Every structure is written in structure tokens, then in C-alpha cells.
Amino acid sequence: MSRGVLAKAPSAGGANDGSLEEPKKMMRENWREKKELEVQRKLGNAPAEVDEEGKDINPHIPQYISSVPWYIDPSKRPTLKYQRLQPQKQKQYSSSGDWHKRGLQEHGVATRYHKGACENCGALTHIKKNCMERPRKVGAKYTGTNIAPDEHVQPQLTFDYSGKRDRWNGYNPEEHMKTVEEYSKADLAKCTLKAQKLQEELASGMLEQVNSPSHHWGEEESNSQTERDHNSEDEDKYADDIDMPGQNFDSKRRITV
């Protein structure tokens, strides 16, 4: 009995070894196929692997980056979704056109004091601590008269890097028209004054008419020179006080080129 058992034992062990070698062989073949496919993808002969969102995964990315960590979900296929910025964690910024509102609200002014309003002026948009009006001897809370209008409630703006450095955000282009009108009025006044001065010179005889037969070439040249001096009056009025580099020969203030 013992001899028979001992004789059959090797045959049973050999059958078990054969059954264990088959899965190992399959695992080796699968590993070789994956390795060959990975090499072909790196060479560009095979299409890149696609993640769960349909985006291609760069074959040169290491496996420890493309594979999903075990603490998230190890059963998922390789992806780079967890490496990208998550929408729920993104900070929302204000747009470039948003800015603080100016002025007062459009609706009418209150006729009596409301609970929770400013005790000094009676506006509902701020409290007494933040009131910018002159402190009254008796506040609107007790008098109930002369209620100040409400201002706009300013929004809490959050800008990104470029929005914080936008120097023209909130600028009203119509404000520039006031400067344009001011300069146009100044130019019109200059032209009027110059015309009056020219008329006075002609009336006093300092300037002769260009069409008169008594003028000569020298007089015409002097008249044209006078006109040029009048035209260049605005351009040269600031140039008299400027010294060119290398032209100041004062020993105390010598400018060299």
C-alpha cells in the first residue's frame, strides 16, 4: 500500500506542475504582447491608447503617471484625468468688463426712516460707521427727514493676473471728450487772437499788402518770413529754454555728448 502510494505521488505532482505552468505561460505571452505594443506605440506604428474621455495618452508618459492610483480606483483604465485641473476646484474670476457701479440708484428717495438704515443719513446701503456724509447734530433716525438716497451696492470683484493689472478697466471713454472740447476751444481762441493781431498790424501799416505794386522781392521775402514766424510760434515757444547737448559751455553746467 505504501509503495503504491509512493509510486503514484510523482505522477500527481507532475500533473499539478503542468496545470500551473499554463497560466504562467499565458501571463508571459500577454506581457510580451503588451511590451511589443508599447514599443510600437512609441515608434508611432500603432495608434495611441485612449482614456475614458476619448483623449489620446502620450505613449512616452511613464506607467506610474498614466495608471490610476490605487487609492482612487485601481480598476479603472489608464487615464490622465486626475492629473488635469478639476473644474470643481477652479477659482471663478470676474470678467474683464465688470467694475464697480458709480452714482446713486435710480429709484426714488425714501420719505421716512427704515429700520436697519444709516442712523446719520438714513440710506439703506450702509451703516453709520461707514457713512461718508457730514455727521448731523440730530441723525435721520430721530428726525425722519432729509433722507439721503441709496448708493449702488458694490459687488465683490475677483480678478485674475491680467484683470488686476488692467489700467483701463472701468474707464469711461466719454470722459475724454471733455478734454477734446477744452483743447478745441483753446485752439479756436488762439486762431481768433492771431487773426485780430494780424488785422491790427495791417491797419497800422506795419505790414503791406502782398498785391500792392510797390513791394519788392526783399519785402516779399520779409513778409513770408513774418508769416512763417507766426505759424511756428506755437511750436517754438517751449524751445527757447532748452539747451542742446554739447552747446552749453558754462563751466559750472557743462553738458557733454
Side-chain angles (χ1 to χ4, degrees):
M1 291 292 292
S2 60
R3 290 181 181 177
V5 172
L6 292 174
K8 291 180 180 180
S11 62
N16 291 333
D17 292 342
S19 62
L20 290 174
E21 286 180 357
E22 290 180 0
K24 290 182 179 180
K25 187 176 181 181
M26 294 292 294
M27 290 175 63
R28 290 195 204 100
E29 291 178 357
N30 293 337
W31 184 83
R32 287 196 191 99
E33 291 177 359
K34 289 182 179 180
K35 209 66 178 175
E36 291 177 2
L37 182 60
E38 183 180 352
V39 172
Q40 294 298 323
R41 282 174 176 168
K42 289 183 178 181
L43 295 174
N45 299 329
E49 190 175 5
V50 180
D51 61 358
E52 56 186 5
E53 295 181 353
K55 297 180 180 179
D56 294 343
I57 298 177
N58 192 340
H60 299 282
I61 292 178
Q63 183 181 2
Y64 68 89
I65 293 179
S66 61
S67 59
V68 182
W70 60 268
Y71 52 83
I72 295 179
D73 191 358
S75 63
K76 287 187 176 181
R77 57 189 301 179
T79 180
L80 298 177
K81 182 179 179 181
Y82 69 96
Q83 295 267 354
R84 301 188 182 96
L85 297 175
Q86 304 300 321
Q88 62 272 14
K89 295 182 181 179
Q90 288 297 306
K91 191 174 182 180
Q92 300 296 329
Y93 294 102
S94 303
S95 62
S96 59
D98 296 339
W99 196 245
H100 302 285
K101 295 182 180 179
R102 297 187 177 94
L104 305 174
Q105 294 184 7
E106 290 76 11
H107 58 78
V109 183
T111 56
R112 63 184 181 84
Y113 180 80
H114 295 275
K115 185 178 180 180
C118 177
E119 298 179 2
N120 183 43
C121 65
L124 289 168
T125 51
H126 62 268
I127 58 177
K128 184 179 179 180
K129 180 181 178 181
N130 301 328
C131 186
M132 301 298 294
E133 285 201 4
R134 177 184 59 83
R136 302 180 185 180
K137 186 175 181 180
V138 181
K141 179 180 180 181
Y142 305 101
T143 60
T145 58
N146 196 13
I147 304 298
D150 300 337
E151 306 93 354
H152 286 287
V153 179
Q154 303 300 339
Q156 296 293 334
L157 301 178
T158 305
F159 293 106
D160 54 357
Y161 182 87
S162 59
K164 291 177 181 178
R165 290 155 180 81
D166 187 5
R167 59 184 298 186
W168 294 107
N169 193 5
Y171 175 73
N172 187 10
E174 295 179 359
E175 294 291 332
H176 182 65
M177 296 306 298
K178 298 179 181 179
T179 307
V180 174
E181 292 175 1
E182 182 181 353
Y183 275 88
S184 62
K185 290 179 182 179
D187 292 340
L188 182 61
K190 286 181 182 179
C191 294
T192 306
L193 183 63
K194 191 180 293 184
Q196 291 178 358
K197 188 175 181 181
L198 185 60
Q199 290 292 336
E200 291 175 359
E201 290 179 356
L202 288 173
S204 62
M206 294 177 63
L207 293 177
E208 296 182 356
Q209 294 290 341
V210 179
N211 296 329
S212 62
S214 61
H215 80 283
H216 300 288
W217 180 80
E219 296 177 357
E220 181 180 0
E221 185 179 358
S222 63
N223 291 336
S224 61
Q225 181 67 28
T226 305
E227 292 177 359
R228 285 197 296 270
D229 294 341
H230 281 287
N231 293 333
S232 61
E233 180 181 355
D234 296 335
E235 290 81 0
D236 298 339
K237 64 180 180 179
Y238 297 114
D240 297 335
D241 300 333
I242 299 175
D243 295 330
M244 295 298 293
Q247 300 298 324
N248 191 357
F249 297 102
D250 190 1
S251 60
K252 297 180 179 179
R253 298 186 296 109
R254 184 176 297 277
I255 300 175
T256 57
V257 179

